Amino acid sequence: MDRLQKICKAQIIAVLLAVFLAGRTNAQTAMANDASRNSTSLNGKWKVLSDPGAAGDWKKVWIEPKPQKKTDFFEYSFDGAPELNVPGDFNSQLCELAFYEGAVWYKKTVTLKKKNSRQFLYFGAVNYSADVYFNEEKLGSHEGGFTPFQFEITDKIKDGDNTIIVKADNRRLENGIPGLGYDWLNYGGITREVKIIETPKTYIEDYSIQLEKGSLGNVLGWIRLNGENLTQEIIVKIPELNIIYRTKTNSNGYAKLEFSSKFKLWSPQNPKRYHVIVECDTDSISDEIGFRSIESQGSEILLNKKTIFIKAINIHEENPMKKSRAFSLDDDRLLLNSAKELGCNLVRLAHYPHNEDMVEEAEKMGLMVWSELPIYQNIKFSDSLVPHKMRHMLQEMIARDKNRCAVVVWSLSNETYPGTPNRDKALIDLTKECKAIDSTRLVTHVINTQGYANNAFHVWDPLYNYSDLVALNEYIGWYIPWQGKPSEVKWKIDFSNKPVFISEFGAEALYGARNVPADQAAYWSEGYQEQVYKNQIEMFNTVPNLRGVCPWLLYDYRSLGRMHPVYQKGYNRKGLISENGEKKKAWHIINNYYKEDKK
Ligand code: GCU
């Protein structure tokens, strides 16, 4: 086959792939600032049919015929079905679903009226995939358990009762993101809010209003309208600063935004946000936006041009007391207040985008946010669909949170393995895509491929060439015994002059295990965990260019692979706090360390 034939073949494959993907995930990226829109909430009780036999599709359960003849019958019905709360994972609501991985069919009936506006059916998240039906017609599908999506239903609404049926399927996929194996509970279902959003016929679909990279006073952004009347006057107002910025969208509904001012900059010490109004002739929305600059310069991380040391903590999106996926403001505040109490200035929202309120609450509380894609460990990068899925999730994550100044890091992967086919290329391409979409934040990968031998670390990985941080996970003292004094560890970091961030470290302990040998790991003693933390802090003094640390993790959390019947019981016990809110000895080690001023 000559070169031209190869090019044609590649193009045909690309087109077929795009068509296939469009069929699979033809949900729209959710509009910006959904919270500011008029909407009808669909939260509350939904009827459900669990479908362990995967029969729902061929039975077409989204069509509910009624018996016409005396001999008619149908082997499914939502009438009489149990109900689940939405939002909320299904595993924690019905004991027969505790460890279920499969499809659950949800149904909601809502009374609506046709309106002279546009209507969108919006989902905050469905894990892992969703097929959505409206009045027995399939609207489309979405894949990815942690980002919002929507379908326009303007022309499908009828006066009176309308039915929405959703197939939520949390089965793990070999070419999923994440893939087949991960160290957290695979909570499935409609895990975040559902609502019908109303907009004008031509509405403000998306916008970006943040400081230009490296600037403390110049906003460089854009706005995009959606509808028929795309060429409009745009006004951006910030009343507190007497800003009234005018521009005009082009025939595609797009306009650049650029204006300057003397902003009170957002920071953990002063999480200042401004009321921002964005108007066009046909629409108007408001947002609370903070302005700050985050950049790396040589080995330093600069927030608003000042060096900072990041005092972080890892958080999973799980309410430890409810043993369920976190989704509510109360859930978020429980986790974030614990992070503040520990003395943190950043939360790493592991290992996937958390709910929208978690990010906004962190921003209000003065916590920087590390947002991460679930490109976790074993990913089948060589599968032709995977790079497209990664790109789609990246776009959805950035689309949702790009105006949240608290988000200072986009993390694109965690502990993937060099040598995995296509891993380097896929992740390097994704890094370039991320920086092309959003140049205002740090972009990184989290690696654990470093070597530790003869009490010396050798930190390397091709991905560090493309990352703004050298972010590494290490569990010396737990998974790997010390090979010498922590204070004498040597480092060979192949990427000189980049900020080093220890994104995970720690050990397990069962809260209350205090009257057992504290020098033996196999007792899960608090004393052993405490000593690991003391040794790690000693080692931190040996790390060149160390600019932040992030213990793994805040609370004990559910992970089925943690099977020890006495010490774990299905929990990863690396929390500084137990799932009952009890602080372990190690909590105090970090709390004291974070009280020190770090340069
Ligand atoms: C890894 C991984 C975490 C995991 C942790 C552990 O570093 O990133 O998701 O839970 O190690 O083993 O506890």
Side-chain angles (χ1 to χ4, degrees):
M1 185 188 296
D2 66 22
R3 191 168 174 281
L4 184 62
Q5 285 171 317
K6 280 181 183 170
I7 291 170
C8 290
K9 185 175 177 235
Q11 284 169 339
I12 291 166
I13 290 170
V15 168
L16 290 174
L17 211 45
V19 169
F20 171 72
L21 274 174
R24 269 187 63 74
T25 57
N26 60 349
Q28 295 173 347
T29 298
M31 66 180 73
N33 196 357
D34 61 276
S36 75
R37 291 288 180 188
N38 294 329
S39 62
T40 304
S41 173
L42 299 179
N43 293 346
K45 295 291 186 191
W46 287 52
K47 296 278 189 185
V48 295
L49 292 175
S50 64
D51 186 9
D57 279 311
W58 65 267
K59 283 179 182 287
K60 295 188 170 51
V61 299
W62 56 91
I63 296 168
E64 295 183 87
K66 297 299 173 219
Q68 300 302 313
K69 304 190 294 298
K70 287 187 175 174
T71 52
D72 283 349
F73 67 92
F74 301 96
E75 293 183 51
Y76 66 89
S77 166
F78 283 95
D79 297 337
E83 293 183 323
L84 291 185
N85 293 318
V86 167
D89 67 271
F90 52 59
N91 306 89
S92 60
Q93 295 191 59
L94 283 177
C95 57
E96 63 265 33
L97 297 180
F99 304 126
Y100 181 69
E101 292 188 316
V104 171
W105 294 85
Y106 289 74
K107 178 185 176 181
K108 186 78 172 181
T109 301
V110 57
T111 304
L112 299 168
K113 279 183 71 61
K114 291 173 97 48
K115 293 183 178 178
N116 186 31
S117 58
R118 294 177 70 180
Q119 312 283 326
F120 297 86
L121 179 56
Y122 169 97
F123 293 84
V126 175
N127 190 50
Y128 169 76
S129 63
D131 293 339
V132 180
Y133 300 81
F134 190 79
N135 293 333
E136 302 190 349
E137 176 198 350
K138 183 167 188 181
L139 297 178
S141 301
H142 180 266
E143 180 175 343
F146 306 99
T147 41
F149 56 96
Q150 67 184 39
F151 298 97
E152 181 156 10
I153 54 173
T154 306
D155 302 329
K156 302 175 187 303
I157 287 175
K158 57 186 184 180
D159 288 336
D161 284 354
N162 294 259
T163 60
I164 299 149
I165 289 181
V166 180
K167 174 188 177 187
D169 191 336
N170 71 331
R171 270 170 299 183
R172 288 168 285 160
L173 304 175
E174 188 179 16
N175 68 350
I177 297 176
L180 294 173
Y182 35 91
D183 189 17
W184 65 86
L185 196 124
N186 177 22
Y187 289 110
I190 304 180
T191 50
R192 296 177 190 163
E193 65 171 333
V194 185
K195 56 191 173 183
I196 294 175
I197 295 176
E198 181 180 3
T199 73
K201 284 192 177 300
T202 298
Y203 74 101
I204 299 166
E205 178 183 52
D206 203 358
Y207 58 91
S208 173
I209 298 176
Q210 287 285 286
L211 283 177
E212 181 180 8
K213 181 91 178 166
S215 170
L216 298 182
N218 191 48
V219 170
L220 192 57
W222 50 268
I223 183 169
R224 190 175 65 239
L225 305 182
N226 180 303
E228 286 107 34
N229 176 5
L230 292 178
T231 306
Q232 294 194 36
E233 176 93 11
I234 300 293
I235 307 175
V236 178
K237 296 177 187 170
I238 308 182
E240 190 179 336
L241 296 172
N242 297 317
I243 288 176
I244 299 177
Y245 171 79
R246 296 176 190 279
T247 184
K248 193 165 189 153
T249 49
N250 63 20
S251 57
N252 298 320
Y254 179 87
K256 269 181 67 177
L257 305 175
E258 184 162 10
F259 57 89
S260 300
S261 184
K262 188 157 178 39
F263 297 98
K264 286 192 193 107
L265 298 172
W266 184 93
S267 70
Q269 297 74 20
N270 178 18
K272 170 70 181 171
R273 305 197 312 166
Y274 288 91
H275 187 66
V276 179
I277 299 153
V278 185
E279 288 177 349
C280 64
D281 308 335
T282 58
D283 194 10
S284 170
I285 52 171
S286 66
D287 202 343
E288 300 303 315
I289 294 183
F291 297 94
R292 57 95 190 97
S293 161
I294 187 78
E295 51 194 328
S296 62
Q297 234 165 45
S299 66
E300 295 296 344
I301 298 173
L302 304 178
L303 177 68
N304 302 330
K305 301 294 182 188
K306 295 192 186 82
T307 59
I308 56 164
F309 185 89
I310 296 182
K311 303 171 179 178
I313 189 69
N314 281 287
I315 294 179
H316 259 299
E317 193 184 33
E318 181 178 278
N319 180 317
M321 284 79 181
K322 293 182 187 170
K323 298 173 176 43
S324 69
R325 186 53 84 210
F327 63 84
S328 69
L329 270 178
D330 286 347
D331 296 341
D332 300 341
R333 286 170 180 154
L334 169 81
L335 296 169
L336 295 171
N337 285 327
S338 290
K340 287 290 277 189
E341 185 189 9
L342 182 60
C344 301
N345 60 13
L346 180 140
V347 285
R348 177 182 179 214
L349 301 184
H351 285 290
Y352 38 77
H354 289 202
N355 68 79
E356 198 167 4
D357 286 335
M358 181 81 82
V359 177
E360 180 138 34
E361 283 304 298
E363 184 168 283
K364 290 176 186 172
M365 295 166 73
L367 284 166
M368 292 181 282
V369 170
W370 170 303
S371 195
E372 187 160 292
L373 289 177
I375 301 174
Y376 179 92
Q377 295 186 356
N378 283 300
I379 297 290
K380 198 169 182 194
F381 294 104
S382 58
D383 182 292
S384 54
L385 292 178
V386 167
H388 293 274
K389 291 181 183 181
M390 287 166 34
R391 208 166 24 252
H392 197 69
M393 283 185 192
L394 171 73
Q395 289 159 357
E396 291 182 332
M397 175 175 74
I398 296 177
R400 192 192 76 177
D401 292 337
K402 60 185 172 296
N403 292 310
R404 296 276 71 78
C405 69
V407 178
V408 294
V409 176
W410 298 125
S411 173
L412 307 186
S413 69
N414 180 75
E415 297 192 354
T416 61
Y417 308 118
T420 307
N422 198 40
R423 173 259 197 180
D424 291 2
K425 180 181 183 318
L427 289 178
I428 291 166
D429 290 349
L430 192 72
T431 311
K432 291 173 181 171
E433 167 100 9
C434 182
K435 293 187 175 183
I437 299 173
D438 177 6
S439 65
T440 67
R441 292 172 170 89
L442 303 178
V443 180
T444 197
H445 294 272
V446 175
I447 311 287
N448 70 334
T449 46
Q450 67 277 357
Y452 175 62
N454 307 315
N455 207 28
F457 270 98
H458 175 210
V459 180
W460 65 278
D461 192 293
L463 294 181
Y464 281 138
N465 284 305
Y466 302 87
S467 294
D468 294 319
L469 303 174
V470 174
L472 64 98
N473 295 345
E474 50 84 12
Y475 284 91
I476 310 305
W478 180 248
Y479 291 126
I480 305 172
W482 292 99
Q483 296 169 1
K485 289 184 183 168
S487 59
E488 295 174 0
V489 170
K490 298 284 178 285
W491 293 80
K492 179 177 180 302
I493 296 179
D494 290 1
F495 310 88
S496 60
N497 230 17
K498 281 191 177 185
V500 175
F501 182 80
I502 298 189
S503 34
E504 289 181 33
F505 66 97
E508 296 211 6
L510 176 64
Y511 176 77
R514 299 185 177 183
N515 305 319
V516 290
D519 59 349
Q520 295 173 48
Y523 286 95
W524 263 258
S525 71
E526 286 191 57
Y528 196 92
Q529 184 192 42
E530 180 189 37
Q531 190 57 51
V532 167
Y533 273 84
K534 287 178 179 173
N535 292 342
Q536 283 280 331
I537 288 172
E538 246 187 72
M539 180 185 76
F540 292 161
N541 297 322
T542 71
V543 184
N545 301 333
L546 183 66
R547 298 294 177 264
V549 297
C550 190
W552 183 265
L553 80 166
L554 188 59
Y555 279 94
D556 288 353
Y557 71 99
R558 301 177 68 196
S559 178
L560 300 183
R562 306 296 173 162
M563 297 162 60
H564 195 292
V566 175
Y567 302 123
Q568 294 180 313
K569 297 180 183 170
Y571 273 85
N572 182 317
R573 296 273 180 216
K574 296 190 184 69
L576 294 174
I577 309 172
S578 77
E579 71 276 24
N580 301 311
E582 302 139 322
K583 294 185 179 81
K584 301 175 190 175
K585 287 171 178 275
W587 183 93
H588 300 280
I589 301 300
I590 289 296
N591 181 240
N592 289 329
Y593 180 66
Y594 282 174
K595 283 174 184 163
E596 296 163 14
D597 189 21
K598 300 268 174 289
K599 285 290 170 226

